[in-house]
Amino acid sequence: MTTVCLFTRDLRVHDQPVLHAAAEQSDGQVVPLFVVDDAIEGFRVPNRARFLAESLADLDAGLRDAGARLVVRRGDVAAEVRKVAEEVDATAVHVAGDVSAYAGQRRGALEDALGDRELVVQDAVVTVVSPGTITPTGGDHFKIFTPYHRKWADVETREPLDPPRGLRLPKGVKAGAVPKAKDLTDGDTAPGLLPGGEKAARARLDDWLDRIDEYAQGQDLPARDGTSRLSPYLHFGCLSPTEIARRAGTGSEAAAQFVRQLAWRDFHHQTLAAVPRASRQDYRDRGDRWRRDDDEFAAWAEGRTGVPIVDAGMRQLHHEGWMHNRLRLITGSFLTKSLYLDWRLGARHFLDHLVDGDVANNQMNWQWVAGTGTDTRPNRVLNVITQARRYDPDGEYVRRWVPELAELEGKKIHEPWTSGTEVDYPDPIVDLDHVGETFRAARGA
Ligand SMILES: Cc1cc2nc3c(=O)[nH]c(=O)nc-3n(C[C@H](O)[C@H](O)[C@H](O)COP(=O)(O)OP(=O)(O)OC[C@H]3O[C@@H](n4cnc5c(N)ncnc54)[C@H](O)[C@@H]3O)c2cc1C
């Protein structure tokens, strides 16, 4: 008997329930398959393409250690899986459950293409708790995080699974070449991109668990490296969220705060699973009639709004393909609330650059920031200067990313247009004193 393990964004061998189940069913004779799916635009975004290529190379190495190797095909995912399944006469294809509208379509297309062959969809691979496992009374998903988190914390999770051993590829299967980044995209990648792959992921996780206590103090201070930066590894599944949650535990305040972020991740996944249109449409319609201003949008995207903390965040994004969460909140709020430009524009720009760019986390967080999502205070407008003073008190973060302001001292760096200092830096593109009223009037709130 032969099975196919279709990898999607679960590119690992540790705690890998899909591979585990596929191998168990066929006593080890399994085709570990990845299809470079032409329908997935994200595979062509340079930062994610490079991370993906590195992750696939590493997955291939992990599978070789287990006795097999990665088989790669390119094209329409359902058609390619069918061909491979027919070639090896597979009894079943195993795949991880996922939440986006596209993942739903893919599942349907696989079911159709496979006919009599079984499609086994594995839960709790991409998230700790699968969408639908916990629901509120009388509803299909939680709309507010706090009650979700309470139930989430009580769900029993599995013991992480060891990497498999004794896998065998069926005879005659052509493996195909593991793609390099240049096979996926011809765009430039961010100079400060993290390396992809399970090995790098596990090293980072070990290091993070040794210093997790910094999270209590450092979580919201972008000048420090006080968060895990595990997000791209979670997005591509180089790490199992279940394993991370269990290893982090809740033994300290810092660990509990960190694990709570994994619950936020699951929360947004269950929201998108229940309302797939929320990747494009307002989750809650606030009757917005967003402004359109291409120059303001370009200034935001390029980090030249004249608001140092906002520009610093956008420049970090371009340099690292990653941005600190506090800055995602500040730059997102600035775009949607201070400039009153459509959250979809910002979400698109983030997805074009973030190495962790993820439909559930990105779109649902953008909606949260814009007040069209699950935020219980949808009309709040962050005061970016107060935020900058609180979370970058010495201006260290701004100084790092906006070098033209580096000479300005301390808190003054956050408001150079009032400092009277000669610097080559633009005036703010919006009058920050009145953005709250303007936003509320525009929304009719
Ligand atoms: C406008 C906006 C867009 C965002 N887009 C993305 C995105 O595309 N992909 C993405 O993974 N995260 C996104 N986030 C959430 C968050 O900013 C990142 O997950 C986090 O900054 C990643 O850094 P870290 O791994 O060091 O996080 P840590 O603080 O170490 O947290 C650990 C993990 O928890 C999860 N997490 C943390 N915060 C959140 C959150 N608010 N929502 C959901 N999951 C969270 C992430 O998987 C993260 O890796 C976005 C947030 C905002 C406000």
Side-chain angles (χ1 to χ4, degrees):
M1 184 189 287
T2 303
T3 54
V4 174
C5 167
L6 175 61
F7 287 91
T8 53
R9 54 183 190 114
D10 46 356
L11 307 179
R12 62 177 183 266
V13 294
H14 290 81
D15 193 37
Q16 178 33 301
V18 185
L19 181 58
H20 194 85
E24 199 168 66
Q25 193 182 9
S26 61
D27 203 20
Q29 179 143 302
V30 53
V31 183
L33 175 65
F34 184 82
V35 179
V36 181
D37 182 347
D38 289 336
I40 298 185
E41 266 179 58
F43 287 177
R44 293 187 285 278
V45 168
N47 291 338
R48 291 206 293 290
R50 187 170 119 192
F51 199 93
L52 171 65
E54 291 170 356
S55 301
L56 291 173
D58 216 22
L59 176 62
D60 184 40
L63 289 165
R64 283 173 193 255
D65 287 346
R69 62 187 291 189
L70 188 62
V71 171
V72 179
R73 297 287 183 268
R74 184 163 197 159
D76 174 75
V77 65
E80 294 303 318
V81 172
R82 190 192 61 230
K83 276 192 234 160
V84 171
E86 281 172 358
E87 197 184 318
V88 299
D89 194 18
T91 323
V93 173
H94 293 247
V95 68
D98 208 339
V99 301
S100 66
Y102 177 69
Q105 276 169 29
R106 178 175 61 202
R107 178 176 173 164
L110 283 170
E111 267 160 8
D112 291 347
L114 289 174
D116 289 343
R117 297 179 211 279
E118 190 188 3
L119 181 70
V120 183
V121 179
Q122 198 74 43
D123 279 346
V125 181
V126 167
T127 49
V128 180
V129 174
S130 286
T133 306
I134 47 176
T135 48
T137 325
D140 66 345
H141 72 290
F142 281 90
K143 297 178 176 143
I144 299 176
F145 177 70
T146 309
Y148 175 78
H149 181 230
R150 229 175 278 128
K151 278 214 173 173
W152 184 92
D154 284 343
V155 174
E156 255 189 58
T157 56
R158 67 172 173 271
E159 187 76 40
L161 301 160
D162 288 334
R165 289 156 175 258
L167 299 183
R168 297 180 316 280
L169 261 192
K171 284 203 179 67
V173 180
K174 284 211 178 69
V178 176
K180 304 259 188 297
K182 67 174 170 40
D183 303 325
L184 302 172
T185 178
D186 50 14
D188 292 335
T189 52
L193 206 60
L194 286 179
E198 186 171 12
K199 250 193 226 92
R202 298 192 73 76
R204 178 163 285 271
L205 176 61
D206 289 345
D207 173 62
W208 172 247
L209 294 176
D210 283 344
R211 58 190 185 89
I212 196 168
D213 284 340
E214 294 168 21
Y215 203 63
Q217 304 294 323
Q219 177 188 8
D220 252 333
L221 299 174
R224 289 202 208 165
D225 203 12
T227 66
S228 70
R229 294 207 188 206
L230 290 174
S231 51
Y233 302 104
L234 277 159
H235 172 67
F236 285 96
C238 304
L239 287 172
S240 144
T242 300
E243 183 187 349
I244 301 178
R246 289 184 67 118
R247 284 181 60 188
T250 47
S252 68
E253 178 60 23
Q257 272 178 33
F258 171 73
V259 170
R260 189 180 156 89
Q261 302 312 307
L262 298 173
W264 266 110
R265 183 174 178 272
D266 282 11
F267 173 70
H268 290 315
H269 278 71
Q270 60 100 49
T271 311
L272 187 66
V275 188
R277 65 165 178 79
S279 66
R280 292 180 311 277
Q281 292 170 15
D282 292 349
Y283 177 74
R284 290 182 194 279
D285 184 3
R286 306 284 182 201
D288 287 303
R289 298 169 69 90
W290 303 101
R291 288 172 60 241
R292 205 190 150 138
D293 188 318
D294 294 347
D295 291 340
E296 286 183 7
F297 178 74
W300 175 83
E302 290 162 20
R304 46 178 184 77
T305 63
V307 182
I309 193 74
V310 172
D311 293 344
M314 298 310 291
R315 294 184 196 187
Q316 179 181 30
L317 173 64
H318 290 171
H319 190 86
E320 297 189 343
W322 184 87
M323 197 198 286
H324 190 281
N325 181 59
R326 177 54 48 187
L327 271 301
R328 298 189 202 206
L329 293 168
I330 292 174
T331 56
S333 176
F334 184 78
L335 185 82
T336 55
K337 303 275 178 74
S338 303
L339 300 179
Y340 198 50
L341 296 177
D342 196 330
W343 65 265
R344 276 157 282 247
L345 295 173
R348 175 77 263 159
H349 183 75
F350 270 30
L351 283 184
D352 285 344
H353 293 275
L354 281 174
V355 65
D356 63 24
D358 180 292
V359 175
N361 269 5
N362 191 59
Q363 310 307 89
M364 298 321 299
N365 268 299
W366 268 98
Q367 295 234 39
W368 192 89
V369 166
T372 58
T374 52
D375 186 3
T376 48
R377 292 171 57 204
N379 296 323
R380 77 173 115 183
V381 177
L382 289 189
N383 179 326
V384 289
I385 303 300
T386 313
Q387 291 276 312
R389 287 191 187 131
R390 183 177 308 152
Y391 297 113
D392 186 32
D394 305 320
E396 192 185 337
Y397 178 79
V398 165
R399 209 165 278 121
R400 189 179 304 157
W401 295 111
V402 190
E404 58 270 40
L405 300 178
E407 297 305 312
L408 295 181
E409 279 173 22
K411 287 188 177 156
K412 270 200 173 153
I413 199 167
H414 296 306
E415 42 204 312
W417 58 92
T418 59
S419 71
T421 317
E422 288 286 315
V423 285
D424 182 17
Y425 186 66
D427 287 339
I429 59 172
V430 65
D431 175 1
L432 289 174
D433 289 338
H434 297 105
V435 288
E437 296 145 45
T438 314
F439 167 72
R440 282 185 283 274
R443 180 170 274 181

